[in-house]
Amino acid sequence: MALLTALLAAGVFLPYLGAVGLWDPWETHYGEVARQMVARGDLIHPFWEYSWFFSKPPLTFWLSVPGLWLTGAGASEGVLSRSTEWALRLPFALLAVGAVATLSQAVGRLASRRAGLVTGLALCTMPLYLLVARQAMTDMPFVATLTLALSASAIALLDPGEAHPRRWWLGAAAAAGLATLAKGLLGLLLPLAILGAFLLATGLARDGLWPHLRWLGGRSAPRLSLGEELRRIPWLPVAAVFAGVAVPWYAAMLWFDGRDLEQRTFFQRFFLHDHFARLTTGVHTTTPGGTFAYFLEQGGFAVFPWVALVPAALRVGSQVRFDATAPAERLAALAMIWVVGGFTLFSSSATRFHHYLLPVLPGLAVLVGLAVDRLLREDWKEWAATLVLGASLFGLVARDLYLRPRHLVDLFTYNHARPYPDFLWTRSAGLWPGLDAREALGLSLLLAGAAILLAALGRARQWATGGFAGLALVFALWLSWSHWVELSHHWTQRDLFWRYAAQRRDGEPIAAYLMDWKGETFYSRNRVVQIKLGQEAEQLRRLFSQPGRVWILVEHSRLAVLHRMVAGARRLTPIDPRVNNKFLLVVAEVADRGSL
């Protein structure tokens, strides 16, 4: 089963992985920090442009380093290899594949093979998961290792037939250590909180300490007590493995006396600013003051079309008895705590991005897998009302996606006010010959809705469920293989740098006019001339003081301002202005001998 779901996930994530450039600003930002590790020969102390970079832990950079080293990205000059993006993204996609396979294997062992297969299919076709799996950014290393840690813990804790639970606990500890190297304290605290809440709830229910709460269960048969269950965990080896993985880098950085661009030490920047300030006061948030409903709305887009089964999944989670002994029921309890706890944590954060929901998705996929398994075994009349509610949610989310498709790309991008290439929706859908993308999306939604209603009405439930799963897979393949590729050209500067490399002459520099999108730094190998606000006139004067042409990157919306700044000194000629709807490459040639 793990092999089957791994092949399925690989088929969704890997094709066209390197066909397009890195997305601004996160992929290029973290990619440049990793490139600096290669160029400087320092894998411990992250560096960005001209100062130390303390905002993120190192796992994302370390995953990027091998590909950058193999493709020669550490050199100081020249065009980056055409294999750079593929080599850089591949470890992230493979980590996402491994998490899908391990989670489905755990569900298959604890519940049923069918539940495991549905769990893997659901997770790898949820838009947020599959899109972030194709991105070289911090979130997938964290969520994948978190999923590995909780999957291994579930097998060690819940599978009565496991002869060697100790090795699963050690694997969980190593994965939690990697999660801590991927996202900081959350990599340790989140799995501890989920497992701790599960053990506490089940232990109290079994010990009969909450007998007045019927849904928690009571003492009806001999079971392991909370203390006995805790004693089964090899705490010292687990702690040693975790510390061996996670502690050395943090110790080295706390000992390091360097300061970042804002003159903060590692402790001040990483722990005080990027942990506690992010949680309590907000750091670069997209929705200041937003309510918990923000993540409810984004969750519908993040898991589409599986939003149709969210009511069924929550029904399975809400019906669990915490004193249950059956592995499948205990798994449902753990998954429910995973979903509710993760959602509560990220909803309470003052800093909010759509992709903060990503850690909740694996737990939700488990509940979806368990729900489908029960749906196909039990009387359909018991599930009809739940499925009708799911169909209603599906219709609401589908309508919003049809009217505003950019909801999908907003799930994992920064600055949602930037222009969106709506013209892509008039192009061929690829997987649906003869239809444009919007028409294909609408047809897919109608077919998926019909499958849900058929399942709700009990008409050939297996065929209806299989048809819905097939449509979810087709939607994911189109989104991953076609739409993501088309969109990428408008979120990357690689195409512009290729044109610069093909047309420049020796000694002709490239500058970025009032830009801080990170791609200009990565694709120029940190050689771009930054023209900053308030210093434009002087910096342009110095730039134009040298003979020959100068190349400038500018946003389309600022081209008119740049024209006014260089009037009389240079003639600006845009290069292929339609290749990117956000960024523009222009060549500045001498117009006369005047000056700015």
Side-chain angles (χ1 to χ4, degrees), residues 407-570:
H407 283 308
L408 292 172
V409 72
D410 283 348
L411 287 172
F412 66 102
T413 54
Y414 182 78
N415 189 350
H416 301 155
R418 65 178 289 172
Y420 183 81
D422 291 298
F423 53 83
L424 293 179
W425 289 97
T426 62
R427 297 183 179 181
S428 171
L431 293 176
W432 292 94
L435 300 178
D436 65 30
R438 186 182 290 273
E439 292 169 340
L441 176 61
L443 178 60
S444 300
L445 300 182
L446 288 174
L447 292 173
I452 299 167
L453 289 176
L454 284 173
L457 296 173
R459 307 291 183 179
R461 276 184 294 168
Q462 289 187 342
W463 285 100
T465 304
F468 177 79
L471 283 168
L473 179 59
V474 169
F475 180 73
L477 292 176
W478 167 77
L479 185 59
S480 182
W481 295 6
S482 176
H483 195 51
W484 178 81
V485 175
E486 293 286 349
L487 286 170
S488 296
H489 294 288
H490 302 280
W491 263 267
T492 182
Q493 297 181 45
R494 184 183 76 168
D495 300 334
L496 305 181
F497 273 90
W498 279 1
R499 284 158 174 77
Y500 165 65
Q503 299 180 43
R504 71 184 290 267
R505 301 171 190 145
D506 289 343
E508 293 181 347
I510 187 167
Y513 179 74
L514 305 185
M515 285 177 51
D516 185 22
W517 283 95
K518 318 305 182 186
E520 63 274 11
T521 303
F522 177 79
Y523 281 107
S524 71
R525 300 181 190 254
N526 200 24
R527 297 178 65 85
V528 70
V529 178
Q530 296 281 3
I531 308 299
K532 299 183 179 297
L533 183 64
Q535 307 171 35
E536 310 100 298
E538 179 59 30
Q539 289 178 332
L540 285 170
R541 185 178 292 110
R542 286 201 300 268
L543 186 65
F544 293 157
S545 65
Q546 55 189 308
R549 301 183 302 176
V550 172
W551 298 79
I552 303 176
L553 294 162
V554 62
E555 296 182 23
H556 281 274
S557 60
R558 289 176 173 160
L559 180 60
V561 177
L562 181 60
H563 267 294
R564 290 195 295 270
M565 290 291 296
V566 304
R570 296 274 172 152

Side-chain angles (χ1 to χ4, degrees), residues 59 122 129 161 187 241 248 309 314 346 398 436 450 504 533 542 571:
L59 184 59
Y129 192 89
V241 169
L309 291 171
L314 295 180
F346 294 108
D436 65 30
R504 71 184 290 267
L533 183 64
R542 286 201 300 268
R571 181 178 67 254

Side-chain angles (χ1 to χ4, degrees), residues 127 133 182 188 207 214 287 295 353 483 579 583:
L188 171 64
D207 291 342
R214 294 176 61 84
T287 55
F295 280 124
F353 290 105
H483 195 51
V579 73
F583 308 117

Side-chain angles (χ1 to χ4, degrees), residues 26 278 283-286 294-295 351-356 414:
W26 284 318
R278 187 176 290 268
V283 177
H284 300 302
T285 181
T286 56
Y294 163 79
F295 280 124
T351 302
R352 294 167 181 237
F353 290 105
H354 296 358
H355 60 266
Y356 280 10
Y414 182 78

Side-chain angles (χ1 to χ4, degrees), residues 23-38:
W23 285 50
D24 282 318
W26 284 318
E27 276 197 294
T28 48
H29 196 177
Y30 305 142
E32 174 59 17
V33 174
R35 198 194 67 80
Q36 287 288 346
M37 284 185 168
V38 177

Side-chain angles (χ1 to χ4, degrees), residues 121-336:
L121 174 65
L123 183 57
C124 73
T125 56
M126 289 178 177
L128 179 56
Y129 192 89
L130 74 89
L131 290 170
V132 176
R134 302 174 71 89
Q135 301 282 306
M137 49 195 282
T138 58
D139 299 274
M140 185 50 69
F142 165 56
V143 172
T145 51
L146 170 70
T147 303
L148 292 172
L150 289 175
S151 299
S153 299
I155 293 173
L157 192 63
L158 308 181
D159 188 354
E162 174 54 48
H164 304 286
R166 179 188 178 95
R167 65 183 180 183
W168 288 103
W169 281 120
L170 297 182
L178 291 174
T180 306
L181 290 174
K183 203 70 172 179
L185 295 179
L186 205 59
L188 171 64
L189 298 181
L190 186 56
L192 272 183
I194 293 170
L195 290 171
F198 170 77
L199 288 170
L200 182 63
T202 55
L204 292 178
R206 289 176 173 187
D207 291 342
L209 300 182
W210 288 334
H212 57 290
L213 296 179
R214 294 176 61 84
W215 65 277
L216 280 171
R219 188 175 220 132
S220 57
R223 299 175 178 90
L224 288 173
S225 67
L226 175 61
E228 290 170 328
E229 199 142 44
L230 290 174
R231 284 193 291 272
R232 295 175 65 201
I233 302 174
W235 290 105
L236 285 179
V238 163
V241 169
F242 172 83
V245 173
V247 169
W249 181 81
Y250 284 98
M253 292 303 298
L254 289 170
W255 184 261
F256 184 56
D257 61 359
R259 293 178 179 267
D260 66 7
L261 186 63
E262 298 174 352
Q263 295 303 302
R264 289 174 171 156
T265 65
F266 172 75
F267 179 81
Q268 291 170 330
R269 176 73 195 199
F270 186 82
F271 290 106
L272 299 184
H273 183 268
D274 285 306
H275 273 71
F276 300 111
R278 187 176 290 268
L279 178 66
T280 58
T281 61
V283 177
H284 300 302
T285 181
T286 56
T287 55
T291 66
F292 73 94
Y294 163 79
F295 280 124
L296 291 177
E297 178 188 41
Q298 299 309 317
F301 306 134
V303 304
F304 187 84
W306 297 98
V307 65
L309 291 171
V310 166
L314 295 180
R315 176 183 174 180
V316 169
S318 64
Q319 291 178 341
V320 299
R321 291 177 60 91
F322 282 87
D323 68 334
T325 56
E329 291 188 60
R330 300 193 73 197
L331 175 65
L334 177 62
M336 191 64 174

